[in-house]
Amino acid sequence: MESVVATLRAAGCVFAEEEAELIVSTASGPDEVARMVDERVSGLPLEQVLGWASFHGLRIAIDPDVFVPRRRTEHLVDEAIARCHPDAVVVDLCCGSGALGLAVATAVPGVSLYAADLHPAAVKNARRNLPPERVFEGDLYDALPPDLRGRVDILLANVPYVPTDDVRFLPAEARLHEPRLTLDGGADGLDLLRRVAAEATDWLAPGGPLLTEASAEQAPMAAEILATAGLRATISSDEHDFATTVIGTRDRSPREF
């Protein structure tokens, strides 16, 4: 263990002791420990080295070339759970590994979960974590079964929101080992959110929320995008985890109040 810690520390791993413990406890033997240490030293994200990520109390399988769920996104999940009822229809757009949808479905009984992503590697990964027949490949709503239109009670959309010019400032393990399409949100970081918001009222059930993540600086503009799309927009922040969730809710019709 000490040699693993020393190697990781020399490579610049800030939490070398914790990472060494995770690698040793995950590996099946010394040869795999050596391989995993080499991968981590080369800059591969720890979660891709281990093959799993801890997220919202769950162990999520993580494949290479797939976005690693961030701890700050647990705030979005908590906001979704607070609004989710048993037997709700939940959709996880841009699902990546499927971590968000799985966390909500684990916390709320009877949820009908659907997930979709454009990236084939993400779809393959999500099918390891979720019922494979509920994970679809395609561009946003085009991937979903048409009969979900107007029935989605919770819409999770953790879309990429890093402005294009800022991608180069991301940590190397994200910039070099996660697909750019999962990071780059366009000129102001909100291009994909605009597309999601534009059709959200067609897919959400009355009273259903769309939940997305943004930076604290982007949040007012993200809220304006949701409001322009016909949703009631609110912003929820968790300063401890530097997390900001923007929520847009479809209004109920008068007869549903």
Side-chain angles (χ1 to χ4, degrees), residues 33-213:
V33 168
R35 176 186 62 78
M36 294 168 75
V37 169
D38 287 345
E39 290 177 345
R40 183 62 179 134
V41 167
S42 74
L44 200 67
L46 176 65
E47 294 82 0
Q48 293 182 7
V49 171
L50 298 173
W52 59 271
S54 178
F55 182 79
H56 210 268
L58 303 172
R59 182 176 284 203
I60 308 294
I62 299 292
D63 292 337
D65 197 35
V66 174
F67 182 82
V68 176
R70 280 28 172 193
R71 178 174 177 177
R72 64 176 175 269
T73 309
E74 293 180 356
H75 179 257
L76 187 158
V77 169
D78 288 337
E79 291 288 351
I81 291 169
R83 292 163 172 77
C84 190
H85 57 79
D87 305 320
V89 174
V90 176
V91 168
D92 188 355
L93 278 186
C94 301
C95 67
S97 64
L100 277 65
L102 180 60
V104 173
T106 300
V108 183
V111 159
S112 293
L113 176 63
Y114 300 82
D117 203 294
L118 181 65
H119 188 41
V123 173
K124 181 180 178 181
N125 193 163
R127 285 174 176 161
R128 296 180 59 201
N129 292 310
L130 307 175
E133 71 278 5
R134 293 292 186 92
V135 182
F136 303 92
E137 182 177 336
D139 187 18
L140 299 179
Y141 302 104
D142 290 345
L144 298 176
D147 63 358
L148 292 180
R149 188 180 293 268
R151 297 178 47 231
V152 178
D153 298 302
I154 300 287
L155 179 57
L156 311 169
N158 190 27
V159 298
Y161 58 88
V162 179
T164 299
D165 288 344
D166 292 346
V167 171
R168 67 183 185 275
F169 300 122
L170 292 174
E173 61 184 39
R175 190 178 69 252
L176 301 178
H177 298 285
E178 293 180 315
R180 187 174 178 111
L181 85 167
T182 69
L183 305 169
D184 190 341
D188 63 358
L190 298 171
D191 282 0
L192 205 59
L193 178 60
R194 290 185 177 90
R195 293 184 56 209
V196 171
E199 295 186 55
T201 56
D202 294 335
W203 289 86
L204 284 169
L210 157 66
L211 300 100
T212 192
E213 189 172 84

